[in-house]
Amino acid sequence: MKKHLLCALAYYGASACVSTSSADTSAQEASSWREALGADISDEWSAPIHRQFDFWIGEGEANWRAKPQGEFYHQKEGSWTRGRVFPILGGKALIELAWARDNPEEASQRGFSIRYFDPARERWVMAQNWPGPGGNGSGFMDQLIGKEYHGRLSMYSIVRRPDGEGEFNIQHRRYNFTDIRPGVGFRWDGSNTADEGATWSTWYVVDFHALRALDPYGPAGTPFPGVHGQNLCTEEPHGAFNNLQGVWQGETADASGAVSPATFSAGLALDGCGVMGVMDANDIKTFVAVGYNATGGKWMFYTLDDQPGTTHEYYVSDEAGEGAVFRHAPDLAIKDEFTAYNLQAYFEAEGALRRIVWEKFTETEIRLKVETRSAPDTAWRLEKTYRLIKQ
């Protein structure tokens, strides 16, 4: 059991917390997203290996160039997005947010990614969510993993692609980041192979152009860049967690009754297809993203904290809001370049050894309890409880 992860996750609320007046929460307050997210790079994450994607930080534009059928070259002028990239968790991770440049309220080209370097695997690990106009996003669990070779950052994962006859083929996907010129731009291309890398089919070439080193942070608890009218994911079950937006303060208590302050700052993301935020409790920051995965028919929590040696995790639930139970689903987190992490069976998580129970979720108060067990057939034990009040 990772105590720091439980503390951060449970940070949303709880059923057995003591009164919020008994703990000093002022030290946990964050006036801006910069402070709440932990955007300033700390010594812990300053080594060059953790800064390999820093060329992307700032605001820029991207020209997405498809290859017309029957043509040799990709088109010169494609569709354009604008985006912002910034560090979080003291520099452990980077977040990308993108939207349509010329028509920001258009229900397309909305995107999110988060990446961090895992020293144990010597790999960069990435998760993303690019919901289409119908809101059929991945719920933050589409993932790739890879590393740098001779100035080229390459990331891979296994994907299942339809063959036109109702069957699915297993292919590898590759993202390449090349032609890197800090402060100027870089190139990204996406490719697939069905023969273990003997041949690759490149479906997009994207030229990124740096614009400015912009501070993208507004007040904590406000929407993230890329929210323009909430035109995506407008129908149920989406939107069930939108009430999380804002700044919440309260406290957490462990099983022994020891109490400490906790703060959660959350904002809307992806124009209605998700909520993201950072939980701050017991001197640990944890980034959280929640959204609905239509393929798995599940609500997804992505979590990553600022502690050395920890990696991202997923929690899944059939329901959202008050009464929902989110179970830890370790098989949904990508392990290596050959892991089929998104199999349907991995979404079930009935044998989970950790869960988060939303005991209360109103416009002004949220309460959680975090429970663990030693084996699937044993009783649940209380680990943490949380209560938070919206400010």
Side-chain angles (χ1 to χ4, degrees):
M1 186 65 206
K2 297 178 182 177
K3 178 178 178 181
H4 58 268
L5 177 61
L6 289 173
C7 293
L9 277 170
Y11 177 68
Y12 286 86
S15 60
C17 291
V18 297
S19 169
T20 56
S21 63
S22 65
D24 178 15
T25 62
S26 60
Q28 299 291 320
E29 295 179 3
S31 59
S32 72
W33 272 128
R34 173 178 288 278
E35 183 180 358
L37 292 168
D40 296 322
I41 297 172
S42 67
D43 292 341
E44 187 71 52
W45 308 109
S46 62
I49 193 66
H50 296 289
R51 310 268 47 94
Q52 287 181 326
F53 270 102
D54 278 10
F55 61 84
W56 204 349
I57 293 176
E59 182 167 357
E61 294 181 344
N63 182 13
W64 294 69
R65 302 190 290 117
K67 190 170 79 68
Q69 189 169 358
E71 298 289 334
F72 183 76
Y73 292 104
H74 286 69
Q75 63 190 105
K76 184 176 181 180
E77 187 77 10
S79 58
W80 285 81
T81 58
R82 177 163 289 186
R84 293 179 182 176
V85 176
F86 46 91
I88 64 169
L89 303 178
K92 179 176 180 176
L94 293 181
I95 283 180
E96 169 205 13
L97 291 165
W99 57 92
R101 181 195 68 177
D102 300 324
N103 185 5
E105 294 191 2
E106 180 182 349
S108 66
Q109 295 182 294
R110 200 78 54 188
F112 159 89
S113 71
I114 181 171
R115 68 204 65 211
Y116 64 95
F117 185 78
D118 177 15
R121 288 179 283 187
E122 298 183 334
R123 297 288 192 276
W124 279 91
V125 186
M126 168 183 165
Q128 62 181 353
N129 190 12
W130 287 74
N136 56 342
S138 64
F140 302 97
M141 62 82 59
D142 184 19
Q143 301 159 79
L144 299 98
I145 189 169
K147 60 195 302 185
E148 182 267 342
Y149 291 97
H150 301 293
R152 170 183 292 184
L153 287 152
S154 298
M155 308 188 76
Y156 302 86
S157 69
I158 286 179
V159 294
R160 299 169 69 243
R161 300 183 68 87
D163 63 4
E165 298 180 359
E167 300 295 329
F168 283 88
N169 295 321
I170 301 299
Q171 299 184 11
H172 261 90
R173 172 180 49 173
R174 180 183 66 192
Y175 286 6
N176 274 334
F177 299 83
T178 61
D179 303 334
I180 297 168
R181 294 176 292 165
V184 178
F186 64 95
R187 167 178 163 153
W188 172 89
D189 60 73
S191 307
N192 277 45
T193 179
D195 52 17
E196 299 181 343
T199 58
W200 290 91
S201 174
T202 300
W203 27 274
Y204 261 113
V205 170
V206 185
D207 301 315
F208 285 80
H209 305 274
L211 294 178
R212 51 183 172 168
L214 179 70
D215 181 349
Y217 314 99
T222 58
F224 283 93
V227 175
H228 300 97
Q230 300 182 46
N231 295 321
L232 278 173
C233 302
T234 57
E235 298 180 0
E236 293 183 352
H238 300 287
F241 283 99
N242 286 1
N243 187 50
L244 284 177
Q245 174 163 284
V247 176
W248 304 74
Q249 292 182 1
E251 55 194 26
T252 173
D254 62 22
S256 70
V259 175
S260 59
T263 300
F264 178 47
S265 301
L268 299 181
L270 295 172
D271 224 26
C273 291
V275 178
M276 306 189 310
V278 170
M279 301 170 287
D280 199 340
N282 298 321
D283 295 322
I284 295 169
K285 287 183 182 289
T286 299
F287 173 79
V288 174
V290 57
Y292 183 71
N293 184 299
T295 301
K298 303 284 184 180
W299 282 92
M300 313 285 298
F301 264 97
Y302 170 102
T303 69
L304 177 69
D305 67 33
D306 64 355
Q307 300 300 289
T310 58
T311 57
H312 74 285
E313 295 187 315
Y314 288 102
Y315 291 74
V316 299
S317 175
D318 295 323
E319 306 294 335
E322 191 164 290
V325 178
F326 278 79
R327 295 177 172 84
H328 183 218
D331 289 330
L332 282 179
I334 193 169
K335 305 299 188 299
D336 55 39
E337 293 87 343
F338 303 93
T339 304
Y341 61 86
N342 59 349
L343 297 180
Q344 190 70 27
Y346 294 167
F347 286 89
E348 299 308 321
E350 293 300 325
L353 304 182
R354 191 181 314 158
R355 71 180 185 182
I356 305 160
V357 182
W358 289 72
E359 293 196 313
K360 188 171 185 177
F361 182 24
T362 70
E363 293 184 358
T364 58
E365 183 180 3
I366 46 181
R367 297 184 182 184
L368 288 179
K369 64 178 179 181
V370 179
E371 298 176 320
T372 63
R373 58 184 178 180
S374 58
D377 58 348
T378 58
W380 290 101
R381 297 175 300 171
L382 181 66
E383 175 78 16
K384 288 276 183 177
T385 60
Y386 292 78
R387 181 189 177 195
L388 296 173
I389 304 298
K390 183 174 281 189
Q391 302 303 297

